[in-house]
Amino acid sequence: VSEADVQALHNFLEGFDGWLDGVAVQRFRSAKVRALLAYLGVEAGRVHRREALATLLWGEYPQREAQQSLSQALTNLRSLLGTGPAAAEPPLKITRQAVQLRADADLLWVDVHAFDSLVAAADAGRTSALEETDVADLLAEAVALYQGPFLAGLSLPDSREFEEWLMLHREQRHQAMQLALGRLVNHHLADGRIELVEQYARHQLALEPWNENGHQTLMLALALEGQRTAALQQYETCRRILAD
């Protein structure tokens, strides 16, 4: 989807960026406003009660203060996101009781949603009608979207509920990524594409240096490529990391 067609675009895999008509969304009045937009983006389409959002981000404050902080944050977000395309509803729907970021496909693109959709489409239990090559293409596209941990660098230590939500999503996407990499390794190993086996094994180890299966796969790929010395060096690297 081109940026010209998208009212708001969010990149959550490796930090957070919001884009509006090709221009980066900036001027968040605080880290919590930024976190609020990230949360609404991931949970786009859902209607959130204002009390729940206030507790999520300002749970350490008395309820009245938390609600006031939420109101200020929503005013900031509404000014940043604008009112939406002509003759259309605004992207951010705010009432006295609830808040919702619209999830219309022509309005919002979220990389986490795209990643999840690709992984789901490649699910081994649902792909009987797909060729293995098609499944590998879906997984490769998902892997390309994953540039780092979910919302890396975004943390609100004083907001316990938000941190719990953040860590749950981060772990879910990390595990999905590792499974996708493992399936790609197996596919390309069976296909004899050793250069891709090496590439995805190195990717596994970049995410989890202690991943013994990743080390074993990389050693095998190097050996099959005739790089015996490099394979033995990789063994020593694996042994040292596991010992540490």
Side-chain angles (χ1 to χ4, degrees):
V1 181
S2 67
E3 290 180 351
D5 296 328
V6 179
Q7 178 70 9
L9 182 152
H10 299 270
N11 294 322
F12 296 99
L13 298 170
E14 190 189 31
F16 167 78
D17 291 301
W19 296 80
L20 183 67
D21 294 332
V23 179
V25 178
Q26 299 175 339
R27 301 190 309 279
F28 295 103
R29 61 178 291 159
S30 70
K32 289 194 176 183
V33 178
R34 196 163 174 263
L36 176 59
L37 180 56
Y39 178 82
L40 292 173
V42 174
E43 305 291 347
R46 285 184 51 201
V47 176
H48 305 275
R49 293 196 60 80
R50 292 178 71 130
E51 294 90 340
L53 292 176
T55 299
L56 178 76
L57 294 166
W58 292 276
E60 74 279 16
Y61 292 111
Q63 185 177 14
R64 183 180 180 84
E65 290 183 33
Q67 290 281 3
Q68 289 175 342
S69 296
L70 175 63
S71 294
Q72 293 169 356
L74 290 172
T75 298
N76 184 203
L77 280 188
R78 184 156 45 190
S79 70
L80 295 178
L81 296 183
T83 56
E89 294 183 48
L92 191 62
K93 298 174 65 176
I94 303 173
T95 68
R96 295 185 64 180
Q97 291 78 34
V99 179
Q100 179 185 24
L101 186 63
R102 292 171 57 205
D104 308 40
D106 60 345
L107 183 74
L108 181 73
W109 185 88
V110 183
D111 63 353
V112 172
H113 297 170
F115 175 83
D116 290 345
S117 295
L118 289 164
V119 170
D123 189 307
R126 306 176 189 174
T127 56
S128 56
L130 292 177
E131 297 290 337
E132 276 299 309
T133 301
D134 297 326
V135 173
D137 288 344
L138 291 170
L139 292 172
E141 191 175 345
V143 164
L145 279 174
Y146 191 101
Q147 299 298 310
F150 175 83
L151 289 175
L154 181 58
S155 179
L156 302 177
D158 60 348
S159 301
R160 180 178 57 82
E161 287 198 19
F162 179 81
E163 285 292 299
E164 290 176 352
W165 172 85
L166 177 67
M167 295 309 297
L168 174 62
H169 279 269
R170 184 172 293 171
E171 181 62 20
Q172 286 175 339
R173 292 340 183 280
H174 176 84
Q175 292 300 328
M177 177 64 167
Q178 286 288 24
L179 287 172
L181 288 169
R183 291 181 66 188
L184 283 169
V185 161
N186 291 335
H187 170 79
H188 291 302
L189 189 58
D191 231 20
R193 299 288 301 279
I194 305 305
E195 74 284 358
L196 289 176
V197 174
E198 179 183 348
Q199 174 186 320
Y200 288 121
R202 289 190 185 280
H203 204 150
Q204 285 180 306
L205 294 175
L207 294 175
E208 289 185 356
W210 56 87
N211 186 325
E212 189 170 1
N213 286 335
H215 285 286
Q216 291 174 342
T217 301
L218 182 52
M219 282 184 265
L220 176 61
L222 292 170
L224 290 173
E225 291 173 329
Q227 301 184 58
R228 184 174 185 278
T229 300
L232 290 172
Q233 289 174 341
Q234 189 61 40
Y235 168 77
E236 289 300 327
T237 298
C238 174
R239 190 179 62 81
R240 184 181 67 252
I241 289 175
L242 293 181
D244 290 344

